[in-house]
Amino acid sequence: MIYPKIPLAQSIIEICKAKGIHHIVISPGSRNAPLTIGFTNNPEFTCYSIADERCAAFFALGMAQQLEKPVAVVCTSGSALLNYYPAFAEAFYSQIPLVVISADRPQNKIDIGDGQTIRQENVFANHSLYNANLVENASEENDAKIQEAIHLAVTKKGPAHINVPFEEPLYEKVDAISVNTKMIDFDTQNKELENLDIFANQWNKAKKKLILIGGCDPNFIQQSIVDVLANDNSVVVMTEVTSNVHHANFITNIDTIITPFTDGNFIDFQPEILITIGGMIVSKRIKAFLRKYKPQQHWHIDELRAYNTFDCLTKHFETIPNVFFNEFMPKIVPVESDYLQNALEIKKVRAEKTETYLATIPFSDFKAFEIILPKLTLYSQLQISNSSAIRYAQLFPIDSSIEVFCNRGTSGIDGSTSTAIGAALASGKETVLITGDISFLYDSNALWNNYIPENFKIILLNNGGGGIFRILPGHEENETFNTYFETSHRLTAEHLAKMYDFEYEKAIDEKSLKENLEIALNVKKSIILEVFTPTKVNDSVLLNYFKNLT
């Protein structure tokens, strides 16, 4: 077997292998040559070459999202490392294990005018679970830092940074390893769940309990727990499209339900107890509601973190929902309440109003989502970009067999396509990315990728700019708005599709969308379906929708 000659590089290779990191995304460069030589010549690793560092990091993020295991991303020195930061921050807030391994100049070469040299140590300090700043020679201290970084990325579910100084020569190889790395067994004892009697007593006295579920991995919550919560008359469960939790009694279209509320409706719906589960919440309206009409108790269930999103957090249960509810449910008793029934009646009325409204609207983003979402292949995966796309997707039901993901940690548009490609490769499932034009164009280098599976498909909603800015407060129809907020453009994906060997279809109206969606979902090759919608119609259609719900 071939190894890099540099002992420190050997140590990193051996530790990654021992600690279960088997997928390595490499951004080509020179300073990281010892790592590239070691990873690519060892059959324990599957390596990927992604030239654009920002895309590489999001690609790795998408893989780790699906594998639920750490993926390493490796780069050369200098500004290359900084391009990993958007994905690094997303991994932090989405709790995805990502390990960045950056090659660096030795310490005596920093700040003396050497090329491709910046201050790399602790560059991710604000969002890193651990910063392993190594010294040039292999040592037990270095080995311990490397292992600590990987351990925390796994157990604390987030990103860690290993910064590795290498001196030239960088390309020398040997056929035998020269290091004897000492492996560390970390203590990973779980915290015991505290006595829940006092909380059960509060629960049993409350007639209005709201459970709000954000982004979760599929099957994160046991179906038996879901069924009990769904049939409790004093409980309303509201889910976001990324929750991957389903029941007929759940409220899946939060904004549709609460947007038309009067002050009296909000007071009637105000919960006494709020339980939150999962990742970041998309709906601004539910956040505004709960910040104004605060519950008496807000409990968050997560084994690692709890954000005080609604300024009323009273308890963080540091465990997973299954453990909590399996301990909690035997302690609860039925409470006479019409809380759920009232919510289901509102849900029924809103569904009827929605159906009536959809029958009247012209072709638009809203109509496109109505057509697309029910046609998605069962048991496939849906990746959604941020901004308008994720918000439209919140308004329609999606079949429970379809797994849904979105980069909601930082809610950025910058790496949606790269993440979706990494996720498609790792999952092996047919994957559809629904994305807006600005997000797609911003991350167009994502298609510069030799690992795109044939069952990966992009549905691109092109409305000629950042459509979300038209529905936010402050919209004005003038040159400043169109240029600096909406980012108006006349670009299409047609030539990009040809350059990157994607099939390409387009839709300009309801008829062509239905026809070409059928083609896109059945073709046995990666494809871009570009759906052109009218810029100035989209915002009025959506805003009028909420007005017509009353």
Side-chain angles (χ1 to χ4, degrees):
M1 190 178 295
I2 297 173
Y3 298 94
K5 185 176 181 180
I6 297 175
L8 181 55
Q10 294 179 10
S11 295
I12 292 169
I13 306 301
E14 290 301 295
I15 292 171
C16 285
K17 181 174 67 175
K19 296 300 181 179
I21 298 181
H22 298 296
H23 293 273
I24 314 294
V25 180
I26 299 172
S27 303
S30 180
R31 186 62 49 173
N32 56 335
L35 297 171
T36 301
I37 290 167
F39 283 126
T40 58
N41 284 285
N42 192 313
E44 293 284 339
F45 302 103
T46 302
C47 297
Y48 313 85
S49 177
I50 306 290
D52 184 310
E53 282 89 1
R54 188 182 69 200
C55 295
F58 276 109
F59 176 81
L61 180 88
M63 294 191 70
Q65 174 199 88
Q66 295 299 307
L67 297 171
E68 298 182 38
K69 295 179 180 179
V71 172
V73 59
V74 179
C75 70
T76 189
S77 63
S79 62
L81 177 60
L82 303 182
N83 288 294
Y84 286 165
Y85 211 143
F88 198 93
E90 179 64 34
F92 178 81
Y93 287 108
S94 286
Q95 297 183 217
I96 295 174
L98 185 71
V99 177
V100 166
I101 307 175
S102 57
D104 197 1
R105 295 291 200 276
Q107 190 62 43
N108 64 354
K109 297 291 179 67
I110 307 299
D111 287 341
I112 66 166
D114 226 18
Q116 278 191 283
T117 304
I118 65 171
R119 299 172 186 177
Q120 293 184 197
E121 292 188 356
N122 305 314
V123 73
F124 301 129
N126 283 342
H127 298 96
S128 183
L129 298 179
Y130 189 83
N131 300 294
N133 297 308
L134 309 185
V135 295
E136 190 176 344
N137 297 319
S139 65
E140 287 190 9
E141 182 181 2
N142 273 343
D143 292 349
K145 289 180 179 180
I146 298 164
Q147 293 179 69
E148 181 78 4
I150 296 171
H151 170 70
L152 290 175
V154 173
T155 58
K156 299 299 183 183
K157 296 181 182 178
H161 177 207
I162 302 171
N163 193 58
V164 193
F166 290 133
E167 183 58 281
E168 298 177 8
L170 301 169
Y171 293 87
E172 293 183 317
K173 306 169 188 174
V174 293
D175 56 11
I177 201 164
S178 61
V179 296
N180 183 17
T181 305
K182 180 181 179 181
M183 297 299 168
I184 301 171
D185 292 324
F186 292 93
D187 183 7
T188 56
Q189 289 184 347
N190 294 323
K191 294 181 179 180
E192 289 189 10
L193 187 61
E194 62 194 282
N195 189 301
L196 299 178
D197 288 348
I198 186 173
F199 302 101
N201 185 49
Q202 293 172 339
W203 179 272
N204 292 332
K205 291 179 180 178
K207 293 187 177 183
K208 294 189 294 182
K209 283 96 76 170
L210 177 64
I211 297 178
L212 180 60
I213 307 179
C216 294
D217 292 329
N219 305 311
F220 183 61
I221 304 176
Q222 294 172 4
Q223 191 61 42
S224 58
I225 293 171
V226 169
D227 292 340
V228 169
L229 296 174
N231 290 293
D232 188 324
N233 290 326
S234 65
V235 175
V236 171
V237 180
M238 294 185 130
T239 63
E240 300 235 294
V241 69
T242 54
S243 71
N244 293 297
V245 182
H246 304 275
H247 195 281
N249 284 352
F250 287 0
I251 304 296
T252 58
N253 48 347
I254 297 172
D255 287 356
T256 300
I257 299 298
I258 70 171
T259 299
F261 274 5
T262 63
D263 286 341
N265 296 141
F266 279 125
I267 291 170
D268 290 341
F269 194 63
Q270 181 179 9
E272 297 161 74
I273 296 175
L274 168 69
I275 291 181
T276 51
I277 300 168
M280 304 297 187
I281 299 298
V282 176
S283 171
K284 293 178 69 174
R285 289 178 170 92
I286 195 68
K287 285 186 272 193
F289 161 57
L290 291 169
R291 286 166 182 164
K292 183 175 180 180
Y293 300 90
K294 298 183 192 300
Q296 298 165 17
Q297 299 285 328
H298 171 200
W299 307 339
H300 185 72
I301 303 171
D302 186 281
E303 61 183 332
L304 297 172
R305 301 182 211 166
Y307 295 112
N308 191 13
T309 304
F310 313 108
D311 193 30
C312 57
L313 183 68
T314 55
K315 182 62 181 178
H316 175 200
F317 292 101
E318 297 180 57
T319 186
I320 60 175
N322 290 339
V323 170
F324 173 83
F325 283 113
N326 283 325
E327 180 74 20
F328 190 64
M329 282 179 166
K331 301 176 183 291
I332 66 177
V333 296
V335 178
E336 185 176 340
S337 173
D338 59 1
Y339 192 49
L340 174 60
Q341 187 58 41
N342 289 340
L344 293 178
E345 288 175 4
I346 295 170
K347 178 181 177 181
K348 182 181 178 182
V349 171
R350 298 284 195 268
E352 293 169 351
K353 293 279 189 181
T354 297
E355 186 176 357
T356 300
Y357 182 74
L358 287 169
T360 68
I361 63 174
F363 188 66
S364 55
D365 284 346
F366 200 23
K367 175 61 73 172
F369 274 86
E370 181 202 6
I371 294 169
I372 293 166
L373 293 178
K375 294 294 185 181
L376 296 176
T377 304
L378 300 183
Y379 301 98
S380 63
Q381 182 178 119
L382 173 62
Q383 295 272 339
I384 310 174
S385 75
N386 275 301
S387 205
S388 294
I390 186 62
R391 286 171 171 80
Y392 276 111
Q394 296 271 93
L395 302 177
F396 296 96
I398 296 175
D399 190 89
S400 61
S401 70
I402 297 172
E403 300 174 351
V404 183
F405 297 89
C406 178
N407 285 349
R408 288 306 297 178
T410 64
S411 308
I413 66 167
D414 37 4
S416 298
T417 308
S418 297
T419 301
I421 293 170
L425 181 68
S427 72
K429 294 187 174 185
E430 177 177 320
T431 300
V432 172
L433 167 67
I434 299 180
T435 182
D437 48 350
I438 300 299
S439 180
F440 174 80
L441 293 168
Y442 196 91
D443 195 27
S444 60
N445 266 1
L447 305 186
W448 183 17
N449 183 315
N450 294 323
Y451 312 100
I452 301 173
E454 290 186 349
N455 58 359
F456 177 69
K457 305 165 191 299
I458 298 174
I459 299 176
L460 167 58
L461 278 295
N462 189 340
N463 53 28
I468 192 170
F469 291 101
R470 290 183 162 268
I471 59 175
L472 294 176
H475 167 234
E476 295 179 10
E477 199 61 49
N478 55 45
E479 184 177 349
T480 295
F481 176 86
N482 294 338
T483 302
Y484 297 102
F485 291 93
E486 186 183 33
T487 320
S488 299
H489 67 87
R490 296 182 180 179
L491 303 175
T492 81
E494 184 172 3
H495 295 295
L496 280 171
K498 184 177 181 180
M499 182 167 71
Y500 290 113
D501 197 29
F502 273 66
E503 293 289 314
Y504 178 82
E505 299 287 345
K506 68 179 180 180
I508 58 172
D509 54 26
E510 189 170 340
K511 181 177 181 293
S512 58
L513 175 56
K514 289 178 178 178
E515 291 173 352
N516 291 323
L517 179 62
E518 188 76 17
I519 294 171
L521 294 177
N522 287 284
V523 70
K524 302 301 181 183
K525 186 178 179 183
S526 50
I527 186 170
I528 297 173
L529 170 59
E530 189 163 18
V531 184
F532 294 92
T533 61
T535 304
K536 295 183 180 180
V537 172
N538 288 321
D539 54 327
S540 61
V541 168
L542 184 61
L543 293 172
N544 286 332
Y545 166 64
F546 290 111
K547 292 177 183 177
N548 279 271
L549 288 173
T550 54

